[in-house]
Amino acid sequence: MNPDVDALMALQAEDDVVEEIMAQLDAIAPRLEALDQVRAGALKALTQLKGAIESDERKRVELSMRLTEHKERHDKNVAQLDVVKRMREATAAVAQVEMGRKLLLELEGSHRDVVNRVNEGRRVVVEKEAQLAKLDEDQAAARAAIQGEKETLGGTLAGARRNREAKAASVTASLRAKYDRIRQRRRSQSVFALEAGACGSCDTAIPVHRRQAMTASGSVEVCEACGVLIFARE
Ligand SMILES: [Zn+2]
């Protein structure tokens, strides 16, 4: 067999190793993104809750002011009842006091509701903040583990690349350039033996005379159909 073919197959084997490690490194980014997404989701829920509480708190203050104002006016109206002498005025004053009482009850109810909401919201915020702290703690461990994996893979990759360069040095420069171009495009196996007279990758038949010439010379050629490198086994 052409020594170039042996050297090329050895280089290809090292490139398989390099690409496998790179695929493992590529798989790390989505794992980190998934952690980021979970944390962002928890933080968003907490921020939304805090926003809702702030808005409720503003409502509470406003209701509280209205309640105070209304109470004062109502007390005044009630006191007024005692001094009203004439019947028609008295009827109007009683009706006004009744309406005022109704409004007072409504305002008190709304105020109570909003106070309850604010208190409940604050309780949930404390809970969610504790959950977020716990999440950060758990994620710190996961992130450290991923970082460790990344560093280990980085070291392995550097070693695999050195092996690859060592093997590449044994391949004729022109063939190596051709192979590198094809490999970069395919990012997978790029050298195939002919199988039953056809390209081992795309199965396109190679004419007999060309096949015979390839066997005789041991040359490595490009498959015209799919662009991989092909050679004939002896
Ligand atoms: Zn082919």
Side-chain angles (χ1 to χ4, degrees), residues 150-164:
K150 205 169 158 181
E151 278 162 21
T152 306
L153 280 171
T156 313
L157 180 61
R161 281 196 168 131
R162 277 195 301 274
N163 290 345
R164 188 260 170 215

PDB file of all heavy atoms in Angstrom, residues 150-164:
ATOM      1  N   LYS A 150     -14.678  21.098  31.569  1.00  0.00           N
ATOM      2  CA  LYS A 150     -14.211  21.913  30.453  1.00  0.00           C
ATOM      3  C   LYS A 150     -12.680  21.975  30.456  1.00  0.00           C
ATOM      4  O   LYS A 150     -12.047  21.843  29.407  1.00  0.00           O
ATOM      5  CB  LYS A 150     -14.790  23.322  30.619  1.00  0.00           C
ATOM      6  CG  LYS A 150     -14.931  24.098  29.336  1.00  0.00           C
ATOM      7  CD  LYS A 150     -15.749  25.333  29.614  1.00  0.00           C
ATOM      8  CE  LYS A 150     -15.502  26.404  28.580  1.00  0.00           C
ATOM      9  NZ  LYS A 150     -16.280  27.623  28.866  1.00  0.00           N
ATOM     10  N   GLU A 151     -12.114  22.169  31.646  1.00  0.00           N
ATOM     11  CA  GLU A 151     -10.659  22.260  31.735  1.00  0.00           C
ATOM     12  C   GLU A 151     -10.004  20.927  31.382  1.00  0.00           C
ATOM     13  O   GLU A 151      -8.992  20.886  30.674  1.00  0.00           O
ATOM     14  CB  GLU A 151     -10.254  22.720  33.143  1.00  0.00           C
ATOM     15  CG  GLU A 151     -10.363  24.236  33.269  1.00  0.00           C
ATOM     16  CD  GLU A 151     -10.410  24.713  34.709  1.00  0.00           C
ATOM     17  OE1 GLU A 151      -9.966  23.954  35.590  1.00  0.00           O
ATOM     18  OE2 GLU A 151     -10.903  25.836  34.938  1.00  0.00           O
ATOM     19  N   THR A 152     -10.602  19.843  31.878  1.00  0.00           N
ATOM     20  CA  THR A 152     -10.062  18.514  31.560  1.00  0.00           C
ATOM     21  C   THR A 152     -10.101  18.272  30.058  1.00  0.00           C
ATOM     22  O   THR A 152      -9.113  17.841  29.445  1.00  0.00           O
ATOM     23  CB  THR A 152     -10.884  17.421  32.267  1.00  0.00           C
ATOM     24  OG1 THR A 152     -10.913  17.732  33.662  1.00  0.00           O
ATOM     25  CG2 THR A 152     -10.268  16.051  32.083  1.00  0.00           C
ATOM     26  N   LEU A 153     -11.262  18.582  29.450  1.00  0.00           N
ATOM     27  CA  LEU A 153     -11.409  18.396  28.003  1.00  0.00           C
ATOM     28  C   LEU A 153     -10.428  19.272  27.240  1.00  0.00           C
ATOM     29  O   LEU A 153      -9.869  18.845  26.223  1.00  0.00           O
ATOM     30  CB  LEU A 153     -12.841  18.716  27.578  1.00  0.00           C
ATOM     31  CG  LEU A 153     -13.882  17.619  27.828  1.00  0.00           C
ATOM     32  CD1 LEU A 153     -15.281  18.154  27.564  1.00  0.00           C
ATOM     33  CD2 LEU A 153     -13.620  16.407  26.937  1.00  0.00           C
ATOM     34  N   GLY A 154     -10.206  20.487  27.746  1.00  0.00           N
ATOM     35  CA  GLY A 154      -9.268  21.404  27.099  1.00  0.00           C
ATOM     36  C   GLY A 154      -7.869  20.792  27.068  1.00  0.00           C
ATOM     37  O   GLY A 154      -7.168  20.850  26.042  1.00  0.00           O
ATOM     38  N   GLY A 155      -7.475  20.192  28.182  1.00  0.00           N
ATOM     39  CA  GLY A 155      -6.163  19.545  28.259  1.00  0.00           C
ATOM     40  C   GLY A 155      -6.078  18.364  27.302  1.00  0.00           C
ATOM     41  O   GLY A 155      -5.084  18.187  26.582  1.00  0.00           O
ATOM     42  N   THR A 156      -7.156  17.555  27.282  1.00  0.00           N
ATOM     43  CA  THR A 156      -7.190  16.380  26.398  1.00  0.00           C
ATOM     44  C   THR A 156      -7.121  16.821  24.933  1.00  0.00           C
ATOM     45  O   THR A 156      -6.429  16.204  24.115  1.00  0.00           O
ATOM     46  CB  THR A 156      -8.498  15.584  26.628  1.00  0.00           C
ATOM     47  OG1 THR A 156      -8.683  15.434  28.031  1.00  0.00           O
ATOM     48  CG2 THR A 156      -8.425  14.214  25.991  1.00  0.00           C
ATOM     49  N   LEU A 157      -7.824  17.915  24.641  1.00  0.00           N
ATOM     50  CA  LEU A 157      -7.851  18.419  23.267  1.00  0.00           C
ATOM     51  C   LEU A 157      -6.457  18.864  22.833  1.00  0.00           C
ATOM     52  O   LEU A 157      -6.015  18.574  21.714  1.00  0.00           O
ATOM     53  CB  LEU A 157      -8.847  19.585  23.160  1.00  0.00           C
ATOM     54  CG  LEU A 157      -8.989  20.216  21.781  1.00  0.00           C
ATOM     55  CD1 LEU A 157      -9.481  19.200  20.759  1.00  0.00           C
ATOM     56  CD2 LEU A 157      -9.925  21.429  21.812  1.00  0.00           C
ATOM     57  N   ALA A 158      -5.751  19.563  23.723  1.00  0.00           N
ATOM     58  CA  ALA A 158      -4.398  20.028  23.383  1.00  0.00           C
ATOM     59  C   ALA A 158      -3.511  18.827  23.060  1.00  0.00           C
ATOM     60  O   ALA A 158      -2.741  18.854  22.083  1.00  0.00           O
ATOM     61  CB  ALA A 158      -3.827  20.845  24.537  1.00  0.00           C
ATOM     62  N   GLY A 159      -3.634  17.766  23.856  1.00  0.00           N
ATOM     63  CA  GLY A 159      -2.843  16.557  23.619  1.00  0.00           C
ATOM     64  C   GLY A 159      -3.201  15.916  22.284  1.00  0.00           C
ATOM     65  O   GLY A 159      -2.320  15.518  21.503  1.00  0.00           O
ATOM     66  N   ALA A 160      -4.524  15.845  22.001  1.00  0.00           N
ATOM     67  CA  ALA A 160      -4.992  15.231  20.755  1.00  0.00           C
ATOM     68  C   ALA A 160      -4.505  16.032  19.551  1.00  0.00           C
ATOM     69  O   ALA A 160      -4.171  15.467  18.504  1.00  0.00           O
ATOM     70  CB  ALA A 160      -6.519  15.143  20.760  1.00  0.00           C
ATOM     71  N   ARG A 161      -4.455  17.344  19.715  1.00  0.00           N
ATOM     72  CA  ARG A 161      -3.990  18.190  18.601  1.00  0.00           C
ATOM     73  C   ARG A 161      -2.496  17.988  18.343  1.00  0.00           C
ATOM     74  O   ARG A 161      -2.052  18.001  17.196  1.00  0.00           O
ATOM     75  CB  ARG A 161      -4.287  19.659  18.903  1.00  0.00           C
ATOM     76  CG  ARG A 161      -5.742  19.988  18.632  1.00  0.00           C
ATOM     77  CD  ARG A 161      -5.952  21.497  18.553  1.00  0.00           C
ATOM     78  NE  ARG A 161      -7.272  21.772  18.014  1.00  0.00           N
ATOM     79  CZ  ARG A 161      -8.140  22.618  18.554  1.00  0.00           C
ATOM     80  NH1 ARG A 161      -7.820  23.283  19.649  1.00  0.00           N
ATOM     81  NH2 ARG A 161      -9.303  22.816  17.992  1.00  0.00           N
ATOM     82  N   ARG A 162      -1.762  17.794  19.435  1.00  0.00           N
ATOM     83  CA  ARG A 162      -0.318  17.522  19.266  1.00  0.00           C
ATOM     84  C   ARG A 162      -0.131  16.192  18.523  1.00  0.00           C
ATOM     85  O   ARG A 162       0.676  16.108  17.589  1.00  0.00           O
ATOM     86  CB  ARG A 162       0.370  17.496  20.638  1.00  0.00           C
ATOM     87  CG  ARG A 162       0.744  18.880  21.159  1.00  0.00           C
ATOM     88  CD  ARG A 162       1.727  18.784  22.320  1.00  0.00           C
ATOM     89  NE  ARG A 162       1.186  18.017  23.449  1.00  0.00           N
ATOM     90  CZ  ARG A 162       0.426  18.539  24.418  1.00  0.00           C
ATOM     91  NH1 ARG A 162       0.126  19.828  24.397  1.00  0.00           N
ATOM     92  NH2 ARG A 162      -0.016  17.789  25.407  1.00  0.00           N
ATOM     93  N   ASN A 163      -0.896  15.175  18.921  1.00  0.00           N
ATOM     94  CA  ASN A 163      -0.820  13.869  18.238  1.00  0.00           C
ATOM     95  C   ASN A 163      -1.132  14.026  16.762  1.00  0.00           C
ATOM     96  O   ASN A 163      -0.507  13.431  15.892  1.00  0.00           O
ATOM     97  CB  ASN A 163      -1.830  12.886  18.833  1.00  0.00           C
ATOM     98  CG  ASN A 163      -1.433  12.456  20.230  1.00  0.00           C
ATOM     99  OD1 ASN A 163      -0.286  12.660  20.641  1.00  0.00           O
ATOM    100  ND2 ASN A 163      -2.371  11.881  20.964  1.00  0.00           N
ATOM    101  N   ARG A 164      -2.130  14.820  16.498  1.00  0.00           N
ATOM    102  CA  ARG A 164      -2.623  15.034  15.149  1.00  0.00           C
ATOM    103  C   ARG A 164      -1.527  15.695  14.290  1.00  0.00           C
ATOM    104  O   ARG A 164      -1.278  15.276  13.161  1.00  0.00           O
ATOM    105  CB  ARG A 164      -3.836  15.934  15.279  1.00  0.00           C
ATOM    106  CG  ARG A 164      -4.652  16.186  14.096  1.00  0.00           C
ATOM    107  CD  ARG A 164      -4.386  17.489  13.447  1.00  0.00           C
ATOM    108  NE  ARG A 164      -5.106  17.428  12.174  1.00  0.00           N
ATOM    109  CZ  ARG A 164      -4.694  17.966  11.063  1.00  0.00           C
ATOM    110  NH1 ARG A 164      -3.592  18.662  11.039  1.00  0.00           N
ATOM    111  NH2 ARG A 164      -5.385  17.829   9.959  1.00  0.00           N
TER     112      ARG A 164
END
